[in-house]
Amino acid sequence: MTAIDPVLFTFLNGSDIERLELDDTEVLDAVEQGLLAQGHGETVIEPRVHLTPDPAFNGHFNVLRGYVAPLGMAGVKIVGDYVDNYKSGLPSEMALLNLFDPRTGMPLAVLDATAITEMRTGALTALGARHLAKSDSKVLGHIGARATSYWNVRLLDHVFDLDEIRVHSRRPESRAAFAKRLADDLGKPVIVTDDWKSCVEGADIVVEASRLERPEPLLRTEWIAPGALVVPYGTMSAVELSLTDIMDKVVVDDWGQCRSGPFGALRAHVESGRLSEATLHGELCEIVTGDKPGRERSDETILFWHRGLSLSDIALGAAVLAKAGERGLGQKLRFS
């Protein structure tokens, strides 16, 4: 590079990403590539950090950082998590993803990562279920109607072609709108339930994506059917301490992310010693690469806890950036 060469990077806004119309397979494949790189030891994952500007705002920022060698990209995502944003007509989670050349540190792209966060979270739920749920799973009980919830259900249905989808969330208007969107897009009925028990009891796959202001054990262990897969990932825990006692296997996306920090569905389980490196079956990446077994019997009851990985953001961001380049979308901005 000479002194007069400009340094450019690509900016993709939310409209650009929406116009790409990524399909389910593209999303799943991209996130799986991140898991494979993680499983092969070709990544760096820095522990996420948090910024809480003021407790009165009822929200915080998550900062996720990582490097994916096969993609030749490093990335930093900053995502706000604000519980009361619905009152202002805003998504609870809005994000920016910065992608860099790891060899030089130069910026490659800045992406609106709000949709990327939603898609990669749903993909991680679905990929976990592909390996850990019963192959003939047909009944889903889903708690929560946050933005990531849509992609949880959509991609789980893509993998399993579900017969029965039950949804519940705290606000009646949000769960009704959520169910209608799903029914319209999936072309099948979606059952709206008035309480947690009727939503999850006896389901083959249970996803807990609630938005609580403080930990509260609303998901009862006794409702979980033998052989079920449970995927809790609320910021504040909604599960009983006894939940891990009935599990044949507990799998996480990254133990380094799960073992520390102030948030997470199983934070109390880690702090009490119920979940530790000794009791953990493994990380999802180890199962994806075949280094550890996933589900081995139909009667195994399994829990998959994912905190969300920078690797998934980078992998899906790279796929989005490549497709945008093919379509001529995005703006080239001058850095220097």
Side-chain angles (χ1 to χ4, degrees):
M1 186 177 73
T2 67
I4 61 172
D5 289 334
V7 176
L8 304 176
F9 66 91
T10 301
F11 174 65
L12 292 174
N13 62 33
S15 297
D16 293 329
I17 294 171
E18 186 176 357
R19 288 170 63 189
L20 293 177
E21 297 182 321
L22 271 72
D23 63 33
D24 297 348
T25 300
E26 288 176 303
V27 174
L28 289 167
D29 286 352
V31 174
E32 188 172 45
Q33 289 305 305
L35 288 169
L36 287 168
Q38 181 191 8
H40 290 142
E42 299 173 318
T43 62
V44 175
I45 311 173
E46 291 289 331
R48 67 167 61 198
V49 294
H50 307 279
L51 170 65
T52 302
D54 188 323
F57 300 155
N58 204 13
H60 65 276
F61 293 97
N62 301 308
V63 183
L64 291 77
R65 305 159 292 166
Y67 163 58
V68 184
L71 297 175
M73 288 187 186
V76 178
K77 186 181 80 169
I78 302 175
V79 53
D81 190 349
Y82 282 75
V83 175
D84 294 330
N85 271 10
Y86 72 91
K87 297 176 182 178
S88 304
L90 296 171
S92 59
E93 295 167 298
M94 292 183 284
L96 282 176
L97 172 64
N98 301 316
L99 296 175
F100 300 91
D101 183 336
R103 300 165 189 82
T104 64
M106 298 307 294
L108 297 174
V110 175
L111 295 80
D112 178 341
T114 305
I116 287 173
T117 300
E118 296 166 8
M119 289 186 283
R120 67 84 151 138
T121 302
L124 208 57
T125 298
L127 289 167
R130 179 185 286 172
H131 292 276
L132 300 171
K134 293 180 293 187
S135 59
D136 60 350
S137 294
K138 289 298 178 184
V139 180
L140 168 66
H142 193 290
I143 299 291
R146 60 202 291 184
T148 57
S149 297
Y150 169 81
W151 284 93
N152 284 334
V153 180
R154 172 171 163 169
L155 294 178
L156 283 168
D157 186 60
H158 175 81
V159 173
F160 293 97
D161 189 18
L162 299 164
D163 289 341
E164 185 174 320
I165 299 171
R166 313 171 193 159
V167 299
H168 176 75
S169 68
R170 179 167 51 92
R171 293 182 293 116
E173 65 273 19
S174 72
R175 58 186 184 246
F178 180 46
K180 184 179 187 306
R181 181 186 178 192
L182 287 169
D184 290 346
D185 289 358
L186 301 180
K188 58 179 63 177
V190 175
I191 300 168
V192 179
T193 70
D194 294 327
D195 57 78
W196 286 58
K197 181 180 180 180
S198 58
C199 182
V200 306
E201 190 171 37
D204 299 314
I205 301 172
V206 174
V207 179
E208 181 277 304
S210 61
R211 301 198 59 80
L212 304 180
E213 294 187 17
R214 61 191 62 84
E216 185 178 357
L218 297 172
L219 178 60
R220 301 297 181 183
T221 304
E222 65 189 40
W223 301 337
I224 304 303
L229 171 67
V230 182
V231 186
Y233 73 86
T235 301
M236 297 294 178
S237 178
V239 304
E240 293 185 299
L241 276 174
S242 59
L243 183 63
T244 52
D245 297 343
I246 68 167
M247 295 298 161
D248 295 292
K249 289 174 180 163
V250 176
V251 176
V252 299
D253 55 355
D254 179 72
W255 177 239
Q257 304 291 307
C258 293
R259 68 186 175 193
S260 62
F263 302 116
L266 298 190
R267 179 59 47 225
H269 298 75
V270 174
E271 293 174 352
S272 66
R274 280 178 166 83
L275 179 59
S276 66
E277 195 165 6
T279 63
L280 185 70
H281 173 68
E283 296 175 334
L284 181 60
C285 64
E286 298 176 291
I287 296 169
V288 171
T289 58
D291 294 323
K292 287 190 176 180
R295 176 174 289 271
E296 298 174 274
R297 305 186 317 273
S298 62
D299 63 347
E300 281 186 302
T301 308
I302 300 176
L303 186 146
F304 174 45
W305 178 28
H306 61 82
R307 297 297 319 282
L309 296 180
S310 58
L311 310 181
S312 301
D313 295 305
I314 295 166
L316 187 53
V320 166
L321 188 61
K323 190 169 184 178
E326 295 169 0
R327 299 281 184 88
L329 292 175
Q331 303 172 56
K332 291 292 185 182
L333 302 181
R334 182 164 182 163
F335 179 72
S336 66

